[in-house]
Amino acid sequence: MVEKFAFLVHPRNTLRQDMGLLFGAPFRLVPEAALRTALRRLPLPPIVTGQLHRADRPEEITGSIITVPLTPTQLLTLPRNQVQARISAAIDKAKDMGASVVGLGALTAPASGGGKAFSKRTDIGVTNGNAFTAAMTLLAMERLLARLPSDTLIALVGATGSVGSCLTRLLARQHAGRLLLVARNRRRLDTLAEEVRSDDLAVSVSTDMADVRNAGLVVLLTSAPDAILRSEHLGQGAVVLDDTVPRNTDEGLLRSRPDVTIIDGGLVEIPGFELKGCSIGLAPKLAYACLAETMLLALSGHQGHFSIGAPEVHQAEHLLGLAARYRHLGFQLAPFQSFGRKLDTIESPAKTSLFTGKEIVTCAA
Ligand SMILES: NC(=O)c1ccc[n+]([C@@H]2O[C@H](COP(=O)([O-])OP(=O)(O)OC[C@H]3O[C@@H](n4cnc5c(N)ncnc54)[C@H](OP(=O)(O)O)[C@@H]3O)[C@@H](O)[C@H]2O)c1
């Protein structure tokens, strides 16, 4: 049986812009600081800001987008009980609207231990969406690695996180070569490295972003409120796959580092659906992989929680199976784009940089 779902989002740190998009142009005139204070101090309820419909059944709402009224910085820095109470209120709203599964979008997952804070709820299934995100990120990496030298060092920045640890385990099963795991907590890095290291896979760890300079492929999986991967962290011609929402890369990198390619990660095509009422910052027919995981679970009639904390490899595989089953509605890796602009595959020997072949992706600005 097909179930309804809900997906939680929140405004970005560019609050005026997002509040203007959500609630109308006058909000763009309110000073940022006043909006931030209002979100922090007022007991604002969660708000339903959009609906997803099947393109072939436009009269039916299959899912709702619910906005948790907190900024990225507030989600990560306000007292945990306050933040989780706000997220919990949004989950209550999802339940009241008839959803059987709710996805924790963007920083609502890191702010709740990947959903562990809600694992005792039995009235609705919760998923952080990170199993499908890891699976889709692996597919994107395979596509990129096919064009890179076989000895390319891959840096997974945020490797010990919910998406990061699932991706590390998926990659370790099939990839031979060199892997650099980066995060701030050394103990967790060492434990993960020990688990995945093999005769075929040399795994090093670092808590210093400067070490990312040695990598040809950088996969960004951190949960910071704004940009942390900067020009000085990137080697010549590096390819960056950035899964983070909100982005932990700054668009200024496109100008300051034209040798570097930055690809928006974790994006999935959903031509079988239409989003109405709000923007989630993506072109029509595109979804974040965590939203796609929530949709796949609802479509398949899944009951109970799914990805909580760090998802397991078999969960990523299960979702790849569901994506194949519902292929007629989409759920395939989206074509590469960079900061929302299409990346075209072109022949350009002058820009082959780290790519082995002539075919590379460049930004069609
Ligand atoms: N595109 C999509 O569809 C999609 C889907 C799911 C998630 N995401 C995004 O993916 C990101 C990760 O989500 P998650 O749930 O896996 O988060 P998470 O569990 O909190 O993991 C974050 C990881 O980043 C590390 N980290 C955090 N801040 C860092 C910093 N300043 N410098 C270096 N490492 C840092 C953490 O380790 P330490 O604490 O030890 O540093 C951890 O390894 C988020 O931005 C999320 O919104 C995107």
Side-chain angles (χ1 to χ4, degrees):
M1 185 188 151
V2 176
E3 301 282 358
K4 280 192 184 175
F5 67 89
F7 186 68
L8 307 190
V9 298
H10 57 81
R12 294 167 292 184
N13 274 338
T14 47
L15 204 50
R16 272 203 301 192
Q17 196 185 325
D18 280 14
M19 297 300 268
L21 276 174
L22 285 173
F23 305 115
F27 274 86
R28 293 215 178 97
L29 305 173
V30 183
E32 287 269 340
L35 286 174
R36 261 196 298 276
T37 307
L39 262 51
R40 191 177 70 244
R41 295 232 177 112
L42 301 177
L44 297 173
I47 309 150
V48 179
T49 43
Q51 284 93 28
L52 271 139
H53 302 251
R54 283 268 296 258
D56 57 351
R57 294 180 215 154
E59 68 291 347
E60 269 177 42
I61 297 173
T62 56
S64 300
I65 306 292
I66 300 178
T67 295
V68 178
L70 285 175
T71 66
T73 306
Q74 289 168 345
L75 278 160
L76 295 178
T77 60
L78 287 178
R80 276 284 151 122
N81 58 344
Q82 265 181 45
V83 169
Q84 289 173 3
R86 296 274 195 113
I87 301 171
S88 196
I91 297 175
D92 293 342
K93 180 104 191 160
K95 171 71 191 158
D96 291 348
M97 296 180 68
S100 66
V101 58
V102 59
L104 302 174
L107 295 182
T108 63
S112 59
K116 281 187 196 157
F118 311 115
S119 60
K120 290 204 169 73
R121 287 189 75 135
T122 52
D123 55 341
I124 188 167
V126 175
T127 193
N128 57 37
N130 293 343
F132 197 51
T133 304
M136 287 291 113
T137 306
L138 183 70
L139 291 183
M141 288 175 71
E142 281 172 359
R143 222 184 253 182
L144 294 168
L145 285 167
R147 296 178 165 91
L148 290 165
S150 58
D151 63 346
T152 295
L153 176 67
I154 303 171
L156 300 183
V157 186
T160 51
S162 177
V163 181
S165 57
C166 186
L167 175 65
T168 304
R169 292 184 177 107
L170 283 168
L171 185 67
R173 293 190 321 169
Q174 66 180 63
H175 185 73
R178 296 184 301 139
L179 199 55
L180 170 66
L181 308 181
V182 182
R184 293 165 301 181
N185 182 302
R186 177 70 193 226
R187 189 183 48 79
R188 282 202 291 266
L189 282 169
D190 284 338
T191 306
L192 184 62
E194 188 60 30
E195 180 193 325
V196 297
R197 190 173 283 126
S198 71
D199 289 346
D200 294 329
L201 188 65
V203 184
S204 53
V205 302
S206 176
T207 54
D208 185 354
M209 290 289 280
D211 289 331
V212 175
R213 269 192 80 83
N214 302 318
L217 176 61
V218 180
V219 186
L220 192 60
L221 308 153
T222 47
S223 54
D226 37 40
I228 57 166
L229 185 73
R230 296 191 299 273
S231 176
E232 65 267 28
H233 303 138
L234 294 169
Q236 183 68 24
V239 178
V240 179
L241 183 62
D242 181 2
D243 269 20
T244 59
V245 185
R247 296 194 75 118
N248 292 177
T249 49
D250 189 289
E251 198 167 358
L253 276 174
L254 295 180
R255 290 180 293 279
S256 62
R257 291 296 303 272
D259 59 304
V260 162
T261 305
I262 302 173
I263 296 166
D264 307 343
L267 297 183
V268 175
E269 290 181 305
I270 49 161
F273 293 85
E274 277 166 10
L275 175 63
K276 293 184 184 161
C278 78
S279 158
I280 51 169
L282 296 175
K285 314 286 181 195
L286 284 187
Y288 295 110
C290 46
L291 168 56
E293 172 170 323
T294 313
M295 296 167 75
L296 283 168
L297 293 175
L299 278 169
S300 65
H302 177 84
Q303 298 293 319
H305 302 319
F306 193 76
S307 302
I308 293 284
E312 293 178 24
V313 161
H314 72 83
Q315 292 180 296
E317 287 167 344
H318 175 70
L319 287 160
L320 286 175
L322 290 183
R325 193 200 297 174
Y326 295 105
R327 199 190 170 112
H328 56 289
L329 298 171
F331 301 106
Q332 306 299 304
L333 188 64
F336 287 145
Q337 60 172 49
S338 179
F339 291 91
R341 288 184 289 272
K342 233 172 82 186
L343 285 162
D344 288 338
T345 303
I346 61 156
E347 290 213 337
S348 170
K351 284 201 72 182
T352 48
S353 61
L354 277 171
F355 291 97
T356 47
K358 282 184 186 170
E359 251 198 354
I360 64 163
V361 284
T362 60
C363 191

